[in-house]
Amino acid sequence: MPIQTYNTLSRRKEPLVPITSGHINLYVCGITSYDFCHIGHARSALVFDMIVRYLRYRGYTVTYIRNFTDIDDKIIKRAAEQNVDASTLAQRFIDEFYVDMDRLGVDRPTLEPRATEHIAEMIALIEELIAKGLAYQAGTDVYYAINTFPQYGKLSGRNLDDMQAGARIAINENKNHPMDFVLWKGSKPGEPTWDSPWGPGRPGWHIECSAMSRKYLGDSFDIHGGGQDLVFPHHENEVAQSEGASGKCCATTWIHHGFVTIREEKMSKSLGNFLTIREVLAHYHPEALRLFICSTHYRNPLDFSETAMDDATAGLDRLYECMAFIDDLNKKESREGQAAIASANDTKKLQSLEERFQKAMDDDFNTALALGILFDGVKSINKIGQHLPTTAALSDLQLLKTVGKLIRDLAGIMGLLRKDAASYLLEKKATMLEGLDITEPEILEAIQQRKDARTAKDWARGDSIRDHLLGKGIELKDSAQGTTWTVKRG
RNA sequence: GGCGGCGUAGCCAAGUGGUAAGGCACUGGUCUGCAAAACCAUGAUUCAGCGGUUCAAAUCCGCUCGCCGCCUCCA
């Protein structure tokens, strides 16, 4: 049973059948680099990072191309405001983008081409379109004549008549048809320019992706991805350009992810209600953001809130605590003949975990369900761990360790559990401690005092020390191995 | 006006014809001197509402209500 993916083009789930067996060519529209990235950009990067990792886990080799738009109106405008040139501004925010991606642990794509490095390819493509009668020059601009592409609208599911009824399109005297879009714009004084057969100018937004996807992946490739807002006009126009030029289907499958909202409202630059990745990471662990993003299906809207991030953090802690328990099993004594604790039901559940995970992910990358399966595994592990005797059965230990490693590997596809569990918990403790009015030596001192009091069976004094710590945000846990402490959540 | 999506327990969220995963929160129990953590148990006779198809519907069809996105730069 092949992986099923929802295809925007056909509006349904379809089996993913690569053009070249065993290999997936993927092109994703990346950022326009003129500002810090917000968590909507993070969703895009994380969703496709997950998809690529899953495809590789399933045995495909993947060529993953993600571009940078490093020349565009917004970049020019922002650069002018800041009195720097456009390329300097673009480079600065590409650098900042990498800072964010590295903190999120996003793997680098195979190639990250930039628009400004592919001007020649774009010019060649525009010439090809003109030669085929699909584009025309008007003054110093070149436009795509959408009337020449009968299938225009097939990706976004709309037709020209409907769109004109909306009539939110500014009239441009140069265009033959109001919906024609620009392939090349003649430049105004002071703007970055490149020479072209139509005079000095710069490329329109859509042409870069057609030129670069074609250069690196060929006329036809497997998956083209991006945010839902790119469906129209960006991807619709890409289809017109690429398929107009090649006469072939450009991408078999189109994958579009949903938006991040804040207070149920789409987060966007124009609304000014966006949160940058670094603002979020100042308060939350990168993996908590990843877990949050994987907690719903990639096509659904996702509402960002403190509560949601706290929930995600609690879930991540639960996963790591389980991993820490598994790691500690190495110190545990075992014996071959010891009766096993694991019930038949739990054993069965744990043994089928990978199969269930795959089934969930094969169904259009259902990370929400996949996470549920991992948590279910954690529950079974904890249950067995709860009843493990001092000298455990070898079979129990083997089962726990095997499944623990499996959960870690599978969670890794979503970018989770990539840290050493003990380090994660220690770091977390240290970070949380920073915000509190107490230091670790003070806590350890208090624990020692309480221990002395308890040894003397002075429960009242022991409890008062514990309550005092709790008042400072420190929770104690007594166990056979001694007393440990954690920072109270919330 | 056109196109598309969504509405499942207090919150988040799977489930697209066979009798409601998982997480967070809450409550009771086990454990503990008392706690905490963990575990166990409990929670929707029900999936926005109303009708219809079916032996069977959260899942299919119709209508109603509510919310959201795209149609303009946008992940």
Side-chain angles (χ1 to χ4, degrees):
Chain A
M1 183 80 167
I3 295 172
Q4 303 283 314
T5 50
Y6 181 86
N7 188 353
T8 307
L9 190 58
S10 63
R11 284 167 203 67
R12 68 178 97 133
K13 280 186 207 170
E14 297 169 345
L16 181 66
V17 182
I19 293 168
T20 305
S21 177
H23 187 85
I24 298 284
N25 277 141
L26 166 68
Y27 186 97
V28 174
C29 291
I31 59 158
T32 298
S33 64
Y34 72 105
D35 204 347
F36 291 105
C37 287
H38 57 60
I39 51 181
H41 297 114
R43 186 176 195 187
S44 176
L46 294 174
V47 162
F48 287 106
D49 191 54
M50 172 278 288
I51 288 176
V52 169
R53 286 182 198 203
Y54 186 68
L55 292 173
R56 289 184 174 143
Y57 156 83
R58 289 297 260 133
Y60 293 99
T61 54
V62 180
T63 301
Y64 173 23
I65 311 286
R66 184 183 60 206
N67 71 298
F68 283 113
T69 298
D70 60 349
I71 182 66
D72 127 293
D73 289 346
K74 295 185 293 299
I75 295 173
I76 292 170
K77 181 163 175 270
R78 184 65 57 89
E81 285 165 11
Q82 299 187 0
N83 228 344
V84 295
D85 60 66
S87 62
T88 307
L89 183 91
Q91 183 59 51
R92 181 184 165 209
F93 285 108
I94 287 174
D95 293 341
E96 299 290 4
F97 171 79
Y98 281 130
V99 171
D100 291 335
M101 291 303 114
D102 289 348
R103 286 189 66 193
L104 289 173
V106 173
D107 289 339
R108 296 288 165 95
T110 315
L111 271 176
E112 297 172 274
R114 302 181 185 196
T116 57
E117 291 169 358
H118 297 79
I119 302 290
E121 287 86 346
M122 290 188 238
I123 289 173
L125 183 56
I126 295 169
E127 286 186 304
E128 199 177 330
L129 290 169
I130 292 174
K132 292 201 168 168
L134 303 173
Y136 58 94
Q137 185 174 359
T140 55
D141 299 340
V142 179
Y143 294 96
Y144 190 101
I146 53 162
N147 283 330
T148 63
F149 189 71
Q151 300 186 82
Y152 193 79
K154 71 172 177 178
L155 178 66
S156 53
R158 51 192 88 205
N159 62 63
L160 291 173
D161 298 336
D162 293 342
M163 282 187 283
Q164 284 174 82
R168 283 208 283 162
I169 300 134
I171 302 297
N172 181 328
E173 302 283 324
N174 287 329
K175 293 183 185 180
N176 293 165
H177 185 287
M179 293 296 294
D180 286 353
F181 59 91
V182 71
L183 298 171
W184 186 266
K185 330 179 158 186
S187 51
K188 302 188 190 92
E191 290 181 351
T193 69
W194 287 265
D195 288 332
S196 80
W198 318 284
R202 60 192 161 89
W205 174 34
H206 316 297
I207 196 71
E208 62 177 86
C209 292
S210 289
M212 294 190 285
S213 64
R214 186 184 208 182
K215 176 172 181 180
Y216 297 108
L217 301 176
D219 286 333
S220 300
F221 52 96
D222 303 296
I223 304 175
H224 193 130
Q228 254 158 22
D229 49 353
L230 296 183
V231 176
F232 190 90
H234 185 55
H235 288 162
E236 192 67 63
N237 291 351
E238 266 188 74
V239 170
Q241 294 166 342
S242 297
E243 301 193 358
S246 73
K248 299 175 198 160
C249 171
C250 85
T252 315
T253 303
W254 291 79
I255 293 181
H256 293 100
H257 66 260
F259 297 123
V260 178
T261 59
I262 292 186
R263 280 179 282 277
E264 314 275 300
E265 193 177 49
K266 180 188 167 185
M267 178 168 54
S268 76
K269 296 275 166 117
S270 45
L271 289 171
N273 63 344
F274 61 91
L275 269 172
T276 62
I277 294 174
R278 53 195 65 187
E279 281 166 341
V280 172
L281 294 187
H283 299 284
Y284 300 99
H285 190 95
E287 291 191 7
L289 182 59
R290 296 190 82 129
L291 192 137
F292 166 65
I293 281 172
C294 289
S295 69
T296 189
H297 185 87
Y298 75 85
R299 276 188 283 110
N300 289 161
L302 180 58
D303 198 49
F304 182 92
S305 68
E306 235 175 82
T307 313
M309 285 304 295
D310 288 343
D311 282 2
T313 302
L316 184 63
D317 290 350
R318 183 174 166 84
L319 292 176
Y320 268 116
E321 275 158 18
C322 177
M323 290 303 110
F325 162 74
I326 297 283
D327 291 342
D328 279 346
L329 289 179
N330 289 324
K331 298 179 209 145
K332 189 111 186 150
E333 287 181 23
S334 65
R335 188 166 55 207
E336 222 155 324
Q338 179 78 28
I341 293 296
S343 68
N345 190 33
D346 282 324
T347 305
K348 198 176 150 198
K349 262 182 144 179
L350 291 175
Q351 283 171 345
S352 66
L353 191 134
E354 183 163 23
E355 190 190 323
R356 289 183 289 136
F357 179 90
Q358 270 186 23
K359 199 171 164 227
M361 292 292 281
D362 278 358
D363 184 13
D364 198 27
F365 313 105
N366 191 339
T367 52
L369 179 58
L371 274 174
I373 290 161
L374 296 186
F375 276 110
D376 201 39
V378 166
K379 193 182 212 167
S380 297
I381 288 175
N382 287 340
K383 192 175 178 180
I384 295 165
Q386 179 76 11
H387 300 102
L388 226 46
T390 319
T391 302
L394 199 59
S395 64
D396 279 341
L397 287 190
Q398 277 169 348
L399 178 69
L400 290 174
K401 286 184 197 172
T402 306
V403 176
K405 183 178 183 309
L406 179 65
I407 288 177
R408 194 191 299 273
D409 290 346
L410 297 180
I413 291 168
M414 292 180 256
L416 304 172
L417 297 180
R418 304 185 92 205
K419 313 275 180 205
D420 170 69
S423 319
Y424 169 88
L425 295 171
L426 270 176
E427 252 175 59
K428 182 187 177 69
K429 212 183 240 186
T431 311
M432 292 184 81
L433 205 53
E434 278 171 24
L436 298 179
D437 178 29
I438 194 166
T439 63
E440 181 161 16
E442 285 167 359
I443 295 169
L444 296 178
E445 172 61 23
I447 289 175
Q448 185 56 47
Q449 283 176 15
R450 175 164 169 272
K451 188 183 170 194
D452 295 342
R454 295 176 81 223
T455 308
K457 297 219 188 281
D458 185 352
W459 307 122
R461 179 164 154 68
D463 288 354
S464 105
I465 293 171
R466 189 180 62 206
D467 291 345
H468 173 73
L469 286 175
L470 192 61
K472 297 254 185 190
I474 302 299
E475 271 177 346
L476 299 185
K477 296 183 193 178
D478 296 326
S479 76
Q481 283 76 41
T483 300
T484 58
W485 60 276
T486 56
V487 179
K488 196 169 183 288
R489 282 175 196 145

